[in-house]
Amino acid sequence: MKILLVGNGGREHALAYKMAQNPIVEKIYCSKGNGGTYFENKCENIDIDNIDDLVNFAQTNNIELTVVGPEKELCEGIVDKFKEKGLRIFGPSKEAAQLEGSKAFSKDFMKKYGVKTAEYSKFYNLKEALNYVENCVLPVVIKADGLAAGKGVVIAEKREEAIKAVKDFMEDKILGNAGDGLVIEEFLEGVEASILSITDGEVIIPFISAKDHKAINDGNKGPNTGGMGTIAPNPYCNEEVLKDFTQHIMIPTLNGIKKEKLDYIGIIFFGIMITKKGIYLLEYNVRMGDPETQVVLPLMESDLVELINSAIDKNLKNTKVLFKNQHACCVIASSKGYPIKYENGFEITGVNKVKAKTFFAGAEEKNGKLLTSGGRVLGVTTIGKTLEEARNKAYDSINKVHFDGIYYRKDIGK
């Protein structure tokens, strides 16, 4: 079996690693892949990122399954184009991908189908948005409507912060067209959790819960990043929380997908907030999270390729997803200065001394060496019988890795 995997981050390296474990998988073509997938078992990087060219590649190379990692291509309609040519692909349609591609669309969907979420208002006019934040209750959450690679959310605790965020997004266009519209919503106090799940449009099966650590510095201080580390399962996701999530978020979401007749076969990621007033949905992602994937997949006992095929064949009602009764911890190493300004091109050493699994993101292969090529460079994932054991293993491992300017938080999972 030949698979085409779209994407080049740590999430895609984890997907490739997990899919390669299926014995009938012969080759995984990674577009464009990274330094980690270059060295990964059964993987070959290909230098293609145009959707039409990917369709042609799949047709001419007898690709039996295409798996899409990032949200960008899903929101651009890669699934629709592949299906038009009769190609087998895993991911939601362009219309369904609006659940992540447009904050306004997703919030309206939540409201329409009774998904428990924060109160919100939508704005497409700078003057109206400024007038709102000049008078609203603080803190307030300001979200760019479009895709912003995890950088489109500001929690403003002061009035001037709220005004600056609105101007940054709508006037100065720091996120391009993503900030043409804004969703401004009430601030919810609590603990965040990530629940990745798989759906065939008829059934949603949640995976083991995870907890991301977004801020760059220890103690959740400093600017938000794409994620500096994760643990699974999330210690705050007890039975009561998961029951509340199922009843007030997952089931209403599935009802909405069915009633809207959305062509949704793929991953649906629920970003939730656990508060004293119950569970609220913060956002949908229409793909695996990064770095949540790097802890969820190593704990998964089920075969990922078989699971994906069950979803495409609309057979999830007869499928069980099994996970190890253990804990996983992933610590991300980033370039000095990330997420603001950083340099690349430094050699990564010591990985061969690490007993844990290292998933690469901002790393490229050059002349047999691994060099840094991004903000978040790699993540070390370890498994233990307890969270403490997994944490200790992760930090023992990442201490052996080196590149100029290496930085990582010291409190992941604490």
Side-chain angles (χ1 to χ4, degrees), residues 189-205:
E189 194 167 351
V191 178
E192 287 190 47
S194 303
I195 301 181
L196 284 67
S197 60
I198 189 167
T199 184
D200 58 5
E202 303 292 334
V203 174
I204 296 178
I205 302 178

Side-chain angles (χ1 to χ4, degrees), residues 69-88:
E71 64 275 21
K72 179 175 174 286
E73 286 81 359
L74 292 168
C75 291
E76 289 172 352
I78 187 172
V79 169
D80 309 65
K81 289 195 173 185
F82 268 67
K83 284 186 173 179
E84 281 169 15
K85 300 294 183 182
L87 295 165
R88 194 171 174 86

Side-chain angles (χ1 to χ4, degrees), residues 170-231:
M170 297 192 90
E171 190 172 51
D172 298 335
K173 302 288 184 188
I174 65 166
L175 299 173
N177 294 336
D180 287 351
L182 296 182
V183 168
I184 302 178
E185 61 183 37
E186 69 169 319
F187 174 75
L188 297 173
E189 194 167 351
V191 178
E192 287 190 47
S194 303
I195 301 181
L196 284 67
S197 60
I198 189 167
T199 184
D200 58 5
E202 303 292 334
V203 174
I204 296 178
I205 302 178
F207 294 164
I208 197 167
S209 62
K211 179 167 173 52
D212 192 7
H213 299 67
K214 285 281 186 194
I216 186 69
N217 297 323
D218 288 2
N220 295 315
K221 307 290 187 199
N224 271 356
T225 70
M228 292 303 296
T230 38
I231 56 171

Side-chain angles (χ1 to χ4, degrees), residues 47 81 113 172 214 232 336 351 411:
D47 191 12
K81 289 195 173 185
Y113 292 104
D172 298 335
K214 285 281 186 194
K336 183 182 179 181
V351 177
D411 65 344

Side-chain angles (χ1 to χ4, degrees), residues 146-160:
L147 293 178
K151 299 177 178 68
V153 179
V154 172
I155 299 171
E157 296 185 7
K158 298 176 181 176
R159 193 74 60 194
E160 54 266 33

